[in-house]
């Protein structure tokens, strides 16, 4: 899975919402070195019970989850002489399709995930995990091309670890037959999470640098075995919920029908995830200043929403009217230290040093870090003292970001303190949920991201997930908090909400990622 899945809490109950999805079959054909994986959209009756479910305790788990559940099926499109693997789309949040492993092929539903690098499916030797009995399981004895490997493997997620052992066999993705692919036979899965999930496994499209066991990713073998026209794959995700076609993945190139103009390309800055440098985040066209010195971002087909630092997510929540959970530490910092922080910033103290100067953080030479460890050492206080200090440091750093932004607007100190106090009410809870009024979409601002020499804008219709119809409809913010400290962060994860608006090219040959307006 992607970084978001590894770092954040997961919803074990999420998959209950999707348990009624059905699978179909496909009959792929070749297309001049391009392997097209068609994403077909399943038309669903989004009944009001879904919205009611979202109000329940289980629904809270959904709102806290950066959804990474792509389910697969395959479908023949007789109008085109191309290879098609149909990925179903549920509520613009999930796209899924089918692959085969072995000779003759054994079919599995998998997530196509650019945020991970391993291929894994359940094993017939999985007998202790209940979840395995609810999914297709790979049977090595039924494949003529199976080769024993046996090396152990474990992939950790927030809900637990998927573990098992490596095997080798032929893998079929559309019309492409990848020979001797190393993959994981999962013999243990977290029961609740995977028991009701529609997908069987995951097909990672990231770099080998993050591959468990240093296994060669299936995408690498497609290139090494000369199966694709160019070392490029691309995503088009159809966000029109009224259309059956869900989108398309092209292995070996791009489909010019699905984008407008030219792609803006940025180089991959760190191999592993498809990571690149990103500029500032804008709300309603106005820079937040948070990424003025630069941020990193990941293009992640395995994440449905957008994740970013809590400081900016709170600013976005305030601008779009999303309800958050009051942070007492945030309120305390504003009340006790707000004026002092503002004075320091006006006296041109470096923002990264402000919180250390008032004693809530310590400065390590490049950034402020929590004093939680120091507050416990040599004291008889409980561990909760350290946790409290962690929260105060984080709250102070957020306040600095907010005040710096407002000072640039030349507002009065009174208005700045009032604004920052309001932002404390918009800080996402630890579970990350945030809802908005569906009737307010027309008055919400755009949210934009500076990438390369271009600003990529998202409208409210594009960053809000609407579930259900009428009075029972629920609207959920597509922005979720994820704090990754330097040097890896600050980090943004641009998932399907972004990739649906912008056709995305993953250019392995030139180590770059490209975005163009989707068509």
């Amino acid at each position: 899975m992607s970084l978001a899945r590894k770092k954040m809490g997961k919803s074990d109950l999420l998959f209950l919402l999707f348990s009624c999805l059905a699978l179909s079959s496909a009959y792929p054909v070749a297309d001049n070195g391009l392997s097209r994986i068609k994403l077909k959209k399943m038309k669903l009756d989004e009944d009001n019970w879904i919205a009611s479910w979202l109000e329940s305790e289980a629904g809270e788990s959904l709102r806290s989850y950066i959804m990474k559940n792509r389910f697969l099926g395959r479908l023949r499109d007789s109008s085109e002489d191309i290879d098609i693997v149909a990925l179903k789309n549920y509520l613009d949040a999930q796209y899924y399709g089918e692959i085969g492993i072995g000779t003759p092929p054994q079919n599995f539903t998998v997530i196509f995930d650019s945020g991970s690098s391993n291929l894994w499916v359940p094993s017939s030797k999985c007998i202790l995990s209940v979840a395995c009995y609810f999914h297709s399981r790979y049977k090595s004895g039924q494949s003529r091309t199976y080769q024993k490997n046996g090396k152990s493997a474990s992939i950790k997620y927030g809900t637990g670890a998927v573990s098992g052992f490596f095997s080798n066999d032929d893998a079929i993705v559309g019309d492409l037959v990848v020979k001797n692919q190393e993959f994981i036979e999962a013999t243990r899965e977290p029961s609740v999470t995977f028991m009701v999930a529609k997908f069987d496994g995951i097909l990672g499209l990231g770099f080998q640098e993050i591959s468990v066991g240093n296994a060669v990713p299936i995408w690498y073998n497609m290139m090494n075995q000369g199966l694709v026209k160019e070392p490029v794959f691309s995503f088009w995700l159809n966000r029109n919920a009224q259309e059956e076609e869900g989108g398309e993945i092209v292995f070996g190139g791009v489909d010019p029908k699905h984008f407008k103009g030219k792609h803006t390309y940025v180089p991959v800055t760190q191999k592993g995830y498809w990571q690149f440098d990103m500029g500032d985040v804008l709300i309603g066209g106005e820079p937040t200043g948070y990424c003025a010195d630069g941020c990193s971002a990941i293009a992640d087909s395995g994440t449905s929403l957008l994740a970013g630092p809590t400081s900016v997510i709170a600013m976005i929540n305030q601008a779009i009217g999303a309800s958050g959970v009051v942070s007492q530490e945030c309120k305390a910092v504003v009340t006790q230290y707000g004026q002092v922080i503002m004075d320091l910033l006006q006296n041109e103290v470096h923002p990264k040093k402000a919180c250390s100067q008032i004693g809530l953080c310590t400065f390590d030479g490049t950034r402020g870090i929590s004093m939680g460890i120091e507050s416990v050492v040599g004291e008889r206080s409980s561990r909760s003292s350290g946790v409290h200090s962690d929260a105060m440091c984080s709250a102070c750093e957020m306040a600095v970001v907010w005040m710096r932004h407002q000072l640039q607007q030349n507002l009065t100190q009174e208005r700045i303190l009032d604004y920052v106090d309001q932002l404390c009410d918009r800080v996402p809870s630890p579970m990350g949920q945030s809802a908005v009024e569906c009737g307010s979409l027309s008055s919400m601002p755009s949210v934009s991201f500076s990438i390369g020499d271009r600003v990529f804008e998202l409208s409210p219709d594009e960053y809000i997930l609407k579930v259900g119809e009428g009075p029972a409809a629920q609207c959920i913010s597509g922005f979720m908090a994820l704090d990754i400290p330097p040097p890896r962060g600050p980090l943004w994860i641009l998932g399907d909400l972004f990739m649906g608006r912008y056709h995305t090219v993953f250019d392995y040959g030139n180590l770059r990622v490209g975005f163009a307006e989707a068509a």
Side-chain angles (χ1 to χ4, degrees):
M1 290 290 182
S2 77
L3 184 65
R5 191 171 183 96
K6 294 187 182 76
K7 295 293 184 183
M8 299 189 69
K10 308 305 177 293
S11 166
D12 288 348
L13 297 175
L14 169 68
F15 309 113
L16 293 174
L17 189 60
F18 312 119
S19 58
C20 63
L21 299 183
L23 302 177
S24 58
S25 59
Y27 305 91
V29 292
D31 182 29
N32 298 326
L34 297 181
S35 179
R36 300 172 186 255
I37 298 180
K38 284 287 184 180
L39 314 184
K40 293 292 181 179
K41 185 173 293 191
M42 179 182 293
K43 292 184 178 180
L44 297 174
D45 178 17
E46 300 170 17
D47 294 326
N48 288 341
W49 72 267
I50 299 177
S52 299
W53 185 88
L54 282 170
E55 282 294 289
S56 69
E57 183 177 351
E60 182 173 307
S61 296
L62 171 62
R63 295 192 296 271
S64 73
Y65 179 53
I66 295 185
M67 292 170 286
K68 294 195 53 78
N69 312 313
R70 237 56 84 208
F71 309 143
L72 301 193
R74 296 209 296 189
L75 182 65
R76 168 75 174 186
D77 185 343
S78 58
S79 65
E80 298 183 44
D81 185 26
I82 58 176
D83 165 41
I84 299 172
V85 179
L87 273 73
K88 301 295 183 181
N89 180 342
Y90 186 78
L91 300 180
D92 284 340
Q94 301 183 354
Y95 300 84
Y96 56 99
E98 187 177 85
I99 66 169
I101 299 179
T103 308
Q106 301 172 39
N107 292 334
F108 299 93
T109 58
V110 296
I111 298 169
F112 288 103
D113 182 14
S114 64
S116 67
S117 300
N118 289 89
L119 170 63
W120 69 261
V121 296
S123 171
S124 61
K125 298 178 177 60
C126 180
I127 57 177
L128 298 179
S129 293
V130 176
C132 289
Y133 293 93
F134 288 80
H135 297 282
S136 299
R137 292 184 289 170
Y138 172 76
K139 303 174 180 63
S140 59
Q142 296 183 6
S143 173
R144 297 192 302 272
T145 46
Y146 162 75
Q147 297 183 46
K148 184 177 180 179
N149 183 314
K151 182 174 59 178
S152 62
S154 178
I155 302 178
K156 294 182 180 180
Y157 303 120
T159 49
V162 171
S163 58
F165 58 91
F166 283 99
S167 290
N168 291 66
D169 208 336
D170 293 351
I172 299 91
V173 180
D175 68 313
L176 305 181
V177 180
V178 182
K179 297 292 186 180
N180 195 30
Q181 176 62 44
E182 188 174 15
F183 68 100
I184 297 172
E185 288 193 50
T187 58
R188 190 174 184 84
E189 300 178 355
S191 297
V192 177
T193 304
F194 291 99
M195 184 164 57
V196 293
K198 276 292 181 179
F199 68 86
D200 299 316
I202 298 168
L203 189 154
L205 294 170
F207 290 89
Q208 189 171 0
E209 278 77 358
I210 59 171
S211 175
V212 170
N214 200 36
V216 178
I218 192 168
W219 164 241
Y220 282 43
N221 281 329
M222 287 181 184
M223 295 183 291
N224 295 338
Q225 296 175 23
L227 302 179
V228 291
K229 190 174 183 180
E230 298 178 17
V232 171
F233 62 91
S234 57
F235 277 81
W236 168 65
L237 304 179
N238 187 358
R239 304 299 284 181
N240 189 334
Q242 304 306 314
E243 295 182 5
E244 180 179 354
E245 187 174 18
E248 178 183 79
I249 306 173
V250 177
F251 287 105
V254 299
D255 188 339
K257 295 184 301 183
H258 292 312
F259 63 90
K260 303 174 184 177
K262 295 183 178 180
H263 287 83
T264 296
Y265 285 96
V266 287
V268 171
T269 55
Q270 185 167 340
K271 291 174 67 176
Y273 308 103
W274 288 87
Q275 183 172 325
F276 53 91
D277 287 336
M278 187 183 81
D280 210 358
V281 180
L282 297 84
I283 303 174
E286 295 295 327
T288 62
Y290 186 84
C291 291
D293 297 328
C295 287
S296 294
I298 292 170
D300 187 357
S301 65
T303 294
S304 296
L305 307 182
L306 292 97
T310 301
S311 302
V312 187
I313 297 301
M315 295 172 70
I316 294 173
N317 281 347
Q318 194 276 339
I320 69 177
S323 57
V325 176
V326 175
S327 166
Q328 296 303 323
E329 290 82 4
C330 182
K331 292 278 189 180
V333 166
V334 174
T335 300
Q336 297 177 41
Y337 304 103
Q339 187 63 57
V340 176
I341 293 173
M342 195 152 24
D343 292 342
L344 289 172
L345 292 175
Q346 288 179 321
N347 289 325
E348 298 185 352
V349 170
H350 196 286
K352 294 180 180 179
K353 298 181 179 180
C355 293
S356 62
Q357 289 206 14
I358 62 177
L360 293 180
C361 302
T362 185
F363 189 69
D364 70 353
T366 59
R367 62 188 177 95
I369 59 175
S370 169
M371 294 184 67
I373 297 176
E374 289 81 355
S375 67
V376 175
V377 175
E379 297 181 9
R380 303 175 70 177
S381 58
S382 67
R383 181 176 296 182
S384 62
S385 299
V387 174
H388 176 70
S389 181
D390 290 346
M392 293 292 281
C393 177
S394 297
C396 180
E397 290 178 331
M398 285 192 294
V400 167
V401 171
W402 300 335
M403 289 183 185
R404 184 188 184 194
H405 174 256
Q406 291 298 289
L407 285 169
Q408 292 172 344
Q409 311 302 315
N410 295 319
L411 299 179
T412 65
Q413 293 190 8
E414 182 179 0
R415 288 188 62 183
I416 292 174
L417 290 174
D418 181 63
Y419 170 78
V420 174
D421 187 70
Q422 291 180 37
L423 281 180
C424 287
D425 295 330
R426 306 295 182 177
V427 173
S429 74
M431 294 300 290
Q433 68 267 27
S434 54
V436 300
E437 293 292 335
C438 292
S440 302
L441 265 66
S442 61
S443 62
M444 294 179 189
S446 63
V447 177
S448 308
F449 301 85
S450 299
I451 301 173
D453 58 357
R454 183 177 171 189
V455 174
F456 294 82
E457 180 180 285
L458 294 175
S459 68
D461 288 334
E462 293 162 344
Y463 64 68
I464 296 295
L465 290 177
K466 186 177 182 181
V467 183
E469 298 294 338
Q474 294 288 310
C475 288
I476 303 168
S477 170
F479 299 99
M480 302 193 69
L482 177 65
D483 292 303
I484 307 296
R488 187 77 179 191
L491 187 68
W492 285 82
I493 298 179
L494 306 183
D496 292 344
L497 288 184
F498 186 87
M499 291 175 60
R501 177 70 175 83
Y502 297 101
H503 181 270
T504 307
V505 176
F506 297 85
D507 186 346
Y508 182 87
N510 294 298
L511 288 180
R512 60 181 185 170
V513 182
F515 303 99
E517 185 177 355

